């Protein structure tokens, strides 16, 4: 495994996104835990989750609890694993997503995540999605307070535009360590945010880097250049996609979602795939 940095913490260059293990279409718990253990075996030391990764109204934090269970049951050393979670996005239980960026709510959500993860301080806590009914600086101010109070060790934001990134870093007093935005061959509109993070030395964490749960398996057929480069290397188009992202900036750390051991092992192997300048130009 190769490594990159989030703030002052060294993490694997490929992370694991936990969402597919807890929302619609999720597998049984045993397979999910096997997938998390396979990621750890492959050298993955960064796992991303959120309190909103669940199905039913009465199981908020399902994914956080699942990850805590998997880490506790792993036979090896997990002291170097960074678990990142998020607050501010909610699922009422009817399949919809809502938002709450109120500072008091975010602080309560953080306290609940602390308990589910079973830690004294959350390694990386991220504001999940801007709330149009709350001033952005007020929401990020809650993360500042959580940092100052020692409830979280690092602060990040998600689904943010360049202006919000600059504002968040200012509110946090230069302590913004990560931005988690959607980015993939299908969804490239976050390129400005990626470039801004590169200039500022902030980790950029692409979510749904393979195109999303329902589209990841079709990446090669949907984006022919990735399939062509994959065939030349004898690897999967998904591996090529992740290697392409890694080549964009030393601050990019993709977090492909997975619920199967074989897919996370394939994703983790992307760190060893070196693409030529010509191949990178072909992929765009």
């Amino acid at each position: 495994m190769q490594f990159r940095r989030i703030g002052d913490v060294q993490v694997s260059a490929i992370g694991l996104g936990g969402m597919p293990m807890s929302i619609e279409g999720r597998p049984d718990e045993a397979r999910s835990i096997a997938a998390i253990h396979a990621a750890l075996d492959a050298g993955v030391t960064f796992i991303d989750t959120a309190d909103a990764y669940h199905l039913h109204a009465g199981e908020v934090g399902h994914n956080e609890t699942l990850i805590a269970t998997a880490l506790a049951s792993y036979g090896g050393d997990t002291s170097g694993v960074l678990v990142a979670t998020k607050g501010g996005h909610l699922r009422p239980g009817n399949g919809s997503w809502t938002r709450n960026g109120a500072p008091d709510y975010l602080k309560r959500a953080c306290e609940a995540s602390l308990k589910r993860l079973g830690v004294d301080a959350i390694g990386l806590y991220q504001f999940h999605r801007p709330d149009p009914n709350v001033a952005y600086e007020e929401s990020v101010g809650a993360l500042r307070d959580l940092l100052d109070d020692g409830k979280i060790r690092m602060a990040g934001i998600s689904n943010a535009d360049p202006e919000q990134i600059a504002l968040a870093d200012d509110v946090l007093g230069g302590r913004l360590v990560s931005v988690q935005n959607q980015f993939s061959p299908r969804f490239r509109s976050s390129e400005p945010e990626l470039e801004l993070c590169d200039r500022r030395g902030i980790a950029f964490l692409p979510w749904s880097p393979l195109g999303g749960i329902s589209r990841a398996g079709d990446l090669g057929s949907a984006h022919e250049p990735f399939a062509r480069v994959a065939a030349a290397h004898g690897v999967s188009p998904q591996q090529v996609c992740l290697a392409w992202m890694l080549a964009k900036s030393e601050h990019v750390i993709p977090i492909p979602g997975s619920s199967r051991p074989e897919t996370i092992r394939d994703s983790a192997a992307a760190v060893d795939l070196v693409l030529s300048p010509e191949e990178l130009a072909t992929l765009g």
Side-chain angles (χ1 to χ4, degrees), residues 35 53 63 83 99 147-148 150 152 227 239 263:
Y53 295 165
N63 197 246
V83 177
R99 311 180 196 189
L147 270 175
D148 293 342
I152 65 177
Q239 255 190 62
T263 56

Side-chain angles (χ1 to χ4, degrees), residues 78-199:
T78 60
S79 60
V81 176
L82 175 64
V83 177
T85 191
K86 299 182 286 293
H89 216 183
L90 299 82
R91 300 203 80 190
N94 60 1
S96 66
W97 296 78
T98 61
R99 311 180 196 189
N100 189 341
D104 288 348
Y105 170 78
L106 290 172
K107 291 176 182 180
R108 292 196 306 272
C110 178
E111 291 284 357
S113 292
L114 277 165
K115 292 182 175 66
R116 286 188 291 265
L117 292 171
V119 295
D120 296 326
I122 293 172
L124 172 60
Y125 194 69
Q126 305 156 100
F127 179 37
H128 202 155
R129 188 176 287 272
D131 181 348
N133 297 314
V134 180
Y136 197 70
E137 57 267 31
E138 293 183 11
S139 298
V140 177
L143 271 63
R144 178 198 57 222
D145 294 345
L146 291 167
L147 270 175
D148 293 342
D149 293 343
K151 300 290 186 180
I152 65 177
R153 295 197 171 94
M154 296 186 291
I157 55 177
S158 184
N159 302 296
D161 61 29
E163 182 179 347
Q164 290 165 334
I165 293 171
L167 177 57
D169 201 25
D170 183 58
V171 171
L172 291 167
R175 294 179 291 174
L176 179 68
V177 301
S178 65
V179 174
Q180 183 178 148
N181 276 18
Q182 185 177 12
F183 185 72
S184 69
R186 182 177 72 91
F187 190 94
R188 302 195 186 197
S189 62
S190 284
E191 193 93 40
E193 289 82 5
L194 188 162
E195 293 172 356
L196 176 58
C197 287
D198 183 56
R199 293 195 300 271

Side-chain angles (χ1 to χ4, degrees), residues 261-276:
E262 56 269 31
T263 56
I264 189 55
R265 282 193 289 262
D266 185 73
S267 292
V271 298
D272 297 318
L273 178 59
V274 179
L275 302 176
S276 70

Side-chain angles (χ1 to χ4, degrees), residues 4 194 197-198 202 244-253:
R4 296 191 168 184
L194 188 162
C197 287
D198 183 56
I202 296 169
W244 164 72
M245 288 188 180
L246 291 173
K248 282 187 169 291
S249 164
E250 65 180 350
H251 301 293
V252 172
I253 304 170

